[in-house]
């Protein structure tokens, strides 16, 4: 007997039938003698529909009102799932993020959880009830409703698991686990039995949408054992934990990719110590995030600087820099859209210096131009043309033999 947090994503609660199926999953765990907290997303594509509905009313809706709107999605699911459990004779109660005590920063649209007052849920569990909590939402400053960023229900689940010291957090979704790459793109992608927190964090940060990056961060920081598994099939999923004993010797564990990447190049920048920091401070003060950065000296007086940003941020990035052109002192700005980022991730890379070289070799053989590169101990990321993205992922998946089941570690 233990405490389990179960999270069901949008597809897994996308219809009344799916909600009944999720209820069945909850009941199975409850009947094994566990205490259960359930976290749910909005049904199906509800959040996307609400976003486009807002777009029909206003081209720039306020972030506060967007949070008021989007949090209604999860509120529908908590009540329906609770009704489904009650209809099966189980004592269950639903809570919004606020009622569940999920406190966040006062930032609308992408708030971080700052604390959880879990007394109410603990009391209900003690009474034998199943607590059903709305994912993706919290509250700030006593009464302001906030959201955690798209895909944030995973983070609600893991944060609750950490706060309640749950034995386990199960993420039920529409795939059977974490694969070597997105199985919807690469048919030969293979389900992993296990993956380390660090590798999963890199994959999630680099675009593998299967888990919200902050959920993995919480799981790692609080040592919450996570399992990603299917809500429809009963096979076991992928365990995410401190160290994976399986497949330990793998250099590359997975491939992540991200679309809608752009490159901005600032030409003729004064070649002095302060110009870099001034540029990035200016961008940061407008909330603009920069990813890969490359600087090169053109001559002793001038330098050029390239960085990647999300395509949605390009126009604002260029506007902000041009607004400050006289103080920043650069000559001109160029931007290129239609790029993607493809990354290989694996903790075995630390001790294998040839991995980046192998990646570039594979891409060169496919005739793919690499426009930007960034590396860390356990990943290599490349920015390439969007039209080459699928080809690159498939070629790398093949070259690093990711569909082949590796021999178990001894
Ligand atoms: P949910 O609504 O359950 O939160 P998501 O759509 O957020 O589901 O995440 C599941 C999706 O993540 C899958 O349908 C799959 O297309 C995508 N995905 C991307 N990379 C991976 C990966 N490496 N392994 C498994 N799924 C992945
Ligand atoms: N419903 C939210 C979204 O679609 C949160 C989630 O599903 O995790 O982004
Ligand atoms: Mg998700």
């Amino acid at each position: 007997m233990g405490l389990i947090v179960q999270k069901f994503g949008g597809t897994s609660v996308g219809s009344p039938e799916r909600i009944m199926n999720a209820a069945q999953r909850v009941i199975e765990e409850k009947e094994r003698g566990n205490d259960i907290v359930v976290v749910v997303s909005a049904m199906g594509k509800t959040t996307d529909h609400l976003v486009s509905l807002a777009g029909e009313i206003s081209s720039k809706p306020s972030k506060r009102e967007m949070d008021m709107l989007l949090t209604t999605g999860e509120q529908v699911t908590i009540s329906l799932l609770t009704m489904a459990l009650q209809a099966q004779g189980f004592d269950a109660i639903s809570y919004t993020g606020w009622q569940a005590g999920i406190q966040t920063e006062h930032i609308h649209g992408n708030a971080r959880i700052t604390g959880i007052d879990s007394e109410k849920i603990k009391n209900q569990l003690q009474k034998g009830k199943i607590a059903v909590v709305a994912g993706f939402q919290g509250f700030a400053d006593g009464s302001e409703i906030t959201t955690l960023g798209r895909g944030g229900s995973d983070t609600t689940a893991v944060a609750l698991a950490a706060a309640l010291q749950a034995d386990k957090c199960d993420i039920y979704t529409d795939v059977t686990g974490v694969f070597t790459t997105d199985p919807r793109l690469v048919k030969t992608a293979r389900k992993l039995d296990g993956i380390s927190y660090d590798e999963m964090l890199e994959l999630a940060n680099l675009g593998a949408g299967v888990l919200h990056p902050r959920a993995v961060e919480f799981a790692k920081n609080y040592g919450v054992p996570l399992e990603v598994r299917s809500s429809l099939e009963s096979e076991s999923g992928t365990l995410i934990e401190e160290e994976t004993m399986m497949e330990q010797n793998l250099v590359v564990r997975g491939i992540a990719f991200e679309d809608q990447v752009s490159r901005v190049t600032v030409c003729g920048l004064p070649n002095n110590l302060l110009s870099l920091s001034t540029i990035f401070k200016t961008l940061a003060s407008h909330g603009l995030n920069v990813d890969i950065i490359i600087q090169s000296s053109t001559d002793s007086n001038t330098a050029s600087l390239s960085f990647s940003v999300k395509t949605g941020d390009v126009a604002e990035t260029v506007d902000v820099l041009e607004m400050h052109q006289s103080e920043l002192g650069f000559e001109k700005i160029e931007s290129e859209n239609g790029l993607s980022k493809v990354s290989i991730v694996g903790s075995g890379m630390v001790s294998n210096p040839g991995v980046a070289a192998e990646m570039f070799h594979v891409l060169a053989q496919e005739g793919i131009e690499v426009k930007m590169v960034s590396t860390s101990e356990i990943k290599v990321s490349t920015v390439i043309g969007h039209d080459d993205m699928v080809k690159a992922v498939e070629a790398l998946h093949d070259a690093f033999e990711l569909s082949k089941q590796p021999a178990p570690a001894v």
Side-chain angles (χ1 to χ4, degrees):
M1 159 132 185
L3 170 57
I4 298 180
V5 176
Q6 297 179 303
K7 180 256 169 179
F8 293 89
T11 319
S12 306
V13 290
S15 64
E17 295 70 34
R18 292 281 171 92
I19 290 178
M20 304 289 223
N21 170 71
Q24 214 41 56
R25 288 294 184 130
V26 176
I27 290 167
E28 279 163 24
E29 285 294 6
K30 179 74 182 157
E31 287 188 328
R32 283 190 197 116
N34 294 303
D35 284 335
I36 310 290
V37 175
V38 194
V39 173
V40 286
S41 293
M43 291 173 70
K45 299 256 171 257
T46 300
T47 312
D48 290 340
H49 292 147
L50 291 172
V51 170
S52 57
L53 198 56
E56 287 180 38
I57 300 285
S58 160
S59 60
K60 215 166 182 229
S62 80
K63 289 188 170 176
R64 180 185 187 277
E65 298 315 316
M66 280 308 285
D67 278 356
M68 293 298 277
L69 177 68
L70 298 192
T71 47
T72 61
E74 272 69 14
Q75 203 168 331
V76 169
T77 326
I78 50 170
S79 43
L80 292 176
L81 178 61
T82 304
M83 289 174 199
L85 291 166
Q86 291 170 345
Q88 299 283 321
F90 286 79
D91 214 353
I93 181 163
S94 66
Y95 289 122
T96 63
W98 181 357
Q99 289 174 313
I102 298 174
Q103 295 148 17
T104 73
E105 313 165 302
H106 193 168
I107 290 177
H108 290 291
N110 198 18
R112 285 176 178 270
I113 294 177
T114 51
I116 297 185
D117 177 2
S118 55
E119 274 319 295
K120 202 181 275 176
I121 292 182
K122 280 185 187 150
N123 288 339
Q124 298 299 345
L125 293 178
Q126 258 163 21
K127 290 182 198 156
K129 290 196 193 189
I130 298 167
V132 182
V133 179
F136 173 60
Q137 53 178 265
F139 74 108
D141 290 349
S143 62
E144 283 299 304
I145 290 181
T146 54
T147 57
L148 311 180
R150 295 301 307 268
S153 296
D154 297 333
T155 299
T156 307
V158 181
L160 274 172
L164 295 163
Q165 295 178 312
D167 296 285
K168 195 168 178 237
C169 182
D170 286 333
I171 306 283
Y172 287 90
T173 185
D174 56 7
V175 282
T176 53
V178 177
F179 283 66
T180 46
T181 191
D182 189 341
R184 297 195 195 284
L185 187 89
V186 177
K187 293 294 161 222
T188 53
R190 181 174 58 85
K191 189 178 83 181
L192 298 165
D193 292 328
I195 183 167
S196 69
Y197 291 128
D198 286 333
E199 289 170 321
M200 191 63 235
L201 192 55
E202 287 284 11
L203 285 174
N205 272 321
L206 294 168
V210 63
L211 279 176
H212 195 236
R214 273 187 223 143
V216 188
E217 229 170 82
F218 261 108
K220 177 178 158 64
N221 291 344
Y222 293 91
V224 178
L226 266 186
E227 182 173 345
V228 174
R229 55 186 307 179
S230 162
S231 58
L232 293 176
E233 287 161 61
S234 57
E235 65 183 82
S236 59
T238 302
L239 282 175
I240 300 142
E241 47 194 355
E242 198 49 68
E243 199 159 281
T244 136
M245 294 307 291
M246 293 287 301
E247 306 178 9
Q248 244 172 6
N249 46 353
L250 264 198
V251 175
V252 177
R253 179 105 43 204
I255 302 176
F257 52 88
E258 211 180 310
D259 233 341
Q260 298 288 313
V261 174
S262 295
R263 175 167 67 173
V264 174
T265 304
V266 184
C267 308
L269 192 65
N271 199 359
N272 64 44
L273 292 177
L274 279 179
S275 63
L276 272 189
S277 70
T278 320
I279 287 223
F280 292 116
K281 260 189 207 154
T282 308
L283 293 174
S285 68
H286 287 80
L288 292 162
N289 269 328
V290 165
D291 185 17
I292 302 178
I293 301 170
I294 294 174
Q295 192 205 13
S296 57
S297 296
T298 322
D299 54 51
S300 56
N301 296 323
T302 56
S304 94
L305 175 73
S306 290
F307 51 84
S308 63
V309 291
K310 287 192 193 315
T311 300
D313 286 342
V314 169
E316 200 182 344
T317 302
V318 172
D319 279 356
V320 165
L321 291 179
E322 284 181 346
M323 243 160 41
H324 293 83
Q325 183 165 11
S326 55
E327 62 194 268
L328 297 170
F330 59 85
E331 275 161 30
K332 60 171 181 171
I333 301 184
E334 289 163 0
S335 61
E336 182 180 5
N337 294 337
L339 304 178
S340 294
K341 186 162 78 171
V342 172
S343 311
I344 53 174
V345 172
S347 49
M349 270 181 214
V350 184
S351 47
N352 278 276
V355 185
E358 172 68 7
M359 180 181 195
F360 302 143
H361 177 70
V362 171
L363 296 176
Q365 272 189 326
E366 295 292 324
I368 297 172
E369 183 198 352
V370 175
K371 292 169 185 275
M372 302 180 98
V373 177
S374 120
T375 64
S376 78
E377 284 191 332
I378 65 165
K379 70 122 201 265
V380 183
S381 292
T382 55
V383 173
I384 60 175
H386 170 68
D387 292 345
D388 289 328
M389 185 182 83
V390 177
K391 190 163 78 166
V393 175
E394 284 174 343
L396 292 165
H397 198 268
D398 260 9
F400 287 105
E401 301 188 324
L402 294 188
S403 44
K404 215 164 101 185
Q405 183 77 41
V410 279

